[in-house]
């Protein structure tokens, strides 16, 4: 209501110019034709009749005086052509048949066909038919059995997406029931869509098949998120080094805050774990996190050069921090409703036929599938409830209360904190291991250098047996000469 008030409806009209019949077959000129609306045609005719009275000083029509604004085409007059010259230049060459030159070729009238589709729609259906290469009977066989070996589900989805609309089917049916049905056949695209619709409950069967595929994906997504939360919860509960870290940080904090009201704490808010790296040493060469990691390294010695990081992998917490229990439970409820909807569709398919050949194997396949669906959803609801209870218990165990959001600790808040801390801890641990390896290498190098220097010194300062014998013989010769 109120839309388009005062605006005259657009009245479609046919061509206003007479049809032209060339004496020869002409070359085509491919263009997009423009046909003026009826009101513009009438305005143009009025303007042409009153041209002399409605001209301005410069000889142009005063458009402001016209009720309908005219386009350039409204008053454009076609020039008179030299038909003989024009046809001589742009007519098509007549095809010559050497074997039958004496018989003129007669043009075969194009066979008429009916279509309820527009050009783009017809082209899209044609492409689909060419890529699918399955006839309606083959499609029906695959659909009744839900057999991907006969027709891939992706192709069936494409057929479902491009199926005929209610309006298209109505137009096709009207034509088939009309008197021209035998003389004017359907186009291939129209015939294909019509035959597709004749497959028993094509739309409902496709929707059941597609749901069977999407259900598997949806259930996998729920399981993946539940497993991520459970793994992160288990890692914080069972990793022995977690409590060691907390005890060291508590000792650090109480000592550093010993002379203030922040000291004598029984615990601390976990948010400080992400800030340990910001507390620098006196000479600014290290920080409190690196110092904490050094203490952990003394508690977890290793004979190898690359000791294993004692805290859980940050990837465990990163996967869990993206989980929302509200979304997870919402997805389960949505899946549950979708199972009920699919069950109703199966009942409609089976209730619309008494032919066993149309009911089977669809009936057995879908009833088994829906039974499994109900069990899977029920089991996942129980697992989701258990996972949330374990998570809530863990959060309470740490006395974790985030700021804002009503004090509700979401996995993004809680596990996000552990993601940051363990990632920073691993960086510090890796840096420490590299430093220890360099120190061991340097110590070994110095030991080897010292050993080599000791051997050289011994060779320079030592007196051999031969030297001692020469020296003794020299003293004895001197005594004989003196006698």
């Amino acid at each position: 209501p109120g839309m388009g008030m005062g605006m005259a409806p657009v009245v479609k009209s046919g061509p206003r110019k007479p049809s032209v019949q060339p004496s020869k077959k002409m070359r085509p000129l491919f263009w997009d034709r423009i046909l003026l609306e009826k009101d513009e045609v009438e305005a143009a005719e009025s303007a042409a009749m009153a041209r002399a009275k409605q001209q301005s000083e410069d000889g142009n029509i005063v458009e402001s005086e016209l009720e309908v604004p005219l386009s350039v085409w409204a008053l454009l007059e076609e020039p008179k052509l030299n038909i003989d010259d024009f046809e001589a230049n742009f007519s098509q060459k007549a095809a010559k048949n050497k074997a039958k030159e004496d018989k003129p070729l007669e043009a075969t009238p194009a066979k008429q066909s009916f279509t309820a589709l527009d050009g783009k729609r017809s082209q899209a259906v044609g492409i689909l038919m060419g890529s699918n290469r399955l006839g309606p009977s083959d499609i029906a066989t695959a659909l009744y059995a839900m057999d991907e070996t006969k027709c891939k589900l992706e192709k069936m989805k494409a057929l479902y997406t491009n199926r005929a609309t209610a309006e298209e089917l109505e137009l096709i049916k009207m034509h088939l029931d009309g008197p021209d049905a035998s003389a004017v056949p359907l186009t291939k695209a129209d015939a294909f869509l019509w035959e597709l619709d004749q497959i028993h409950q094509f739309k409902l069967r496709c929707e059941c098949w597609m749901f069977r595929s999407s259900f598997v994906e949806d259930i996998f997504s729920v399981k993946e998120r539940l497993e991520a939360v459970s793994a992160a919860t288990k890692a914080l509960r069972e990793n022995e080094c977690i409590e060691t870290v907390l005890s060291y940080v508590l000792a650090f904090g109480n000592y550093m805050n010993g002379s203030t009201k922040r000291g004598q704490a029984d615990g601390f808010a976990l948010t400080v774990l992400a800030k340990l790296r910001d507390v620098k040493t006196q000479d600014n060469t290290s920080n409190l996190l690196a110092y904490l990691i050094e203490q952990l390294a003394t508690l977890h010695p290793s004979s190898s050069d690359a000791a294993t990081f004692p805290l859980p992998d940050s990837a465990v917490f990163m996967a869990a921090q993206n989980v929302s229990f509200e979304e997870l439970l919402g997805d389960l409820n949505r899946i549950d409703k979708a199972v009920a909807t699919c069950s109703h569709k199966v009942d409609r398919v089976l209730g619309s036929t008494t032919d066993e050949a149309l009911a089977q194997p669809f009936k057995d396949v879908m009833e088994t599938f829906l039974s499994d669906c109900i069990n899977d959803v029920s089991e996942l609801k129980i697992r989701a409830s258990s996972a949330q209870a374990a998570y809530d218990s863990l959060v309470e165990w740490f006395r974790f209360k985030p700021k804002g959001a009503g004090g509700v600790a979401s996995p993004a808040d809680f596990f996000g904190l552990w993601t940051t801390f363990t990632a920073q801890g691993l960086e510090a641990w890796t840096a420490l291991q590299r430093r220890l390896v360099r120190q061991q290498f340097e110590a070994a190098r110095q030991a080897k250098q010292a050993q080599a220097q000791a051997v050289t010194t011994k060779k320079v300062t030592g007196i051999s047996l031969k030297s001692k014998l020469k020296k003794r013989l020299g003293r004895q010769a001197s005594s004989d000469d003196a006698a």
Side-chain angles (χ1 to χ4, degrees), residues 144 200-201 205 346-360 362-363:
Y144 291 159
H200 180 255
Q201 296 291 2
R205 289 176 184 267
V346 171
D347 292 340
R348 286 174 59 189
V349 171
L350 298 177
S352 63
T353 182
T354 57
D355 188 348
E356 189 69 12
L358 294 177
Q360 293 292 0
F362 177 82
K363 181 177 183 291

Side-chain angles (χ1 to χ4, degrees), residues 122-342:
S122 180
Q123 183 181 19
V125 174
I127 294 172
L128 179 64
M129 293 169 60
S131 63
N132 194 44
R133 296 183 181 180
L134 290 176
S137 60
D138 297 325
I139 295 170
T141 301
L143 185 59
Y144 291 159
M146 292 184 171
D147 189 352
E148 284 211 57
T149 62
K150 291 182 172 64
C151 180
K152 294 295 183 182
L153 179 57
E154 289 304 316
K155 289 187 176 180
M156 195 64 72
K157 286 180 180 178
L159 293 169
Y160 172 82
T161 303
N162 289 277
R163 71 190 186 280
T165 64
E167 292 80 9
E168 291 168 347
L169 290 172
E170 184 178 359
L171 290 173
I172 294 174
K173 188 176 187 305
M174 287 174 61
H175 175 73
L176 293 176
D177 293 340
D180 298 332
S182 57
V184 183
L186 297 175
T187 64
K188 290 184 179 180
D190 289 70
F192 178 77
L193 293 183
W194 177 256
E195 291 176 0
L196 208 61
D197 186 69
Q198 302 312 299
I199 296 174
H200 180 255
Q201 296 291 2
F202 173 78
K203 177 176 178 292
L204 291 178
R205 289 176 184 267
C206 282
E207 289 173 354
C208 289
W209 194 357
M210 290 187 293
F211 174 71
R212 192 174 70 160
S213 174
S214 64
F215 176 83
V216 174
E217 296 173 2
D218 290 343
I219 287 296
F220 177 78
S221 173
V222 172
K223 286 182 177 179
E224 194 174 40
R225 285 176 282 170
L226 281 175
E227 289 170 359
V229 172
S230 299
T233 301
K234 183 179 180 181
L236 289 174
R237 279 287 192 183
E238 298 183 0
N239 186 279
E240 297 178 356
C241 195
I242 294 293
E243 292 188 37
T244 304
V245 166
L246 299 181
S247 65
Y248 267 104
V249 175
L250 182 61
F252 294 161
N254 273 333
Y255 192 86
M256 296 169 77
N257 296 325
S259 60
T260 68
K261 293 181 180 180
R262 293 188 298 271
Q264 300 175 297
D266 295 317
F268 55 87
L270 295 180
T271 51
V272 77
L273 293 176
K275 302 175 183 178
L276 297 179
R277 193 162 65 172
D278 298 331
V279 182
K280 302 297 182 180
T281 55
Q282 193 177 56
D283 57 3
N284 282 330
T285 60
S286 188
N287 55 66
L288 190 57
L289 176 62
Y291 186 80
L292 168 65
I293 295 301
E294 290 177 5
Q295 308 311 307
L296 294 181
T298 61
L299 298 175
H300 297 272
S302 173
S303 58
S304 65
D305 291 338
T308 303
F309 184 51
L311 291 174
D313 191 340
S314 61
V316 175
F317 303 119
M318 185 178 295
Q321 77 180 52
N322 295 322
V323 177
S324 166
F325 283 109
E326 291 76 12
E327 291 181 2
L328 194 146
L329 293 175
D331 287 346
L332 281 174
N333 289 331
R334 176 183 57 79
I335 295 171
D336 204 4
K337 291 179 180 178
V339 171
T341 300
C342 184

Side-chain angles (χ1 to χ4, degrees), residues 88-107:
N89 282 282
F90 297 102
S91 62
Q92 293 187 12
K93 290 183 178 180
K96 294 182 179 180
N97 191 330
K98 293 183 179 180
K100 300 179 180 180
E101 289 184 356
D102 56 331
K103 292 185 179 181
L105 295 175
E106 296 182 359

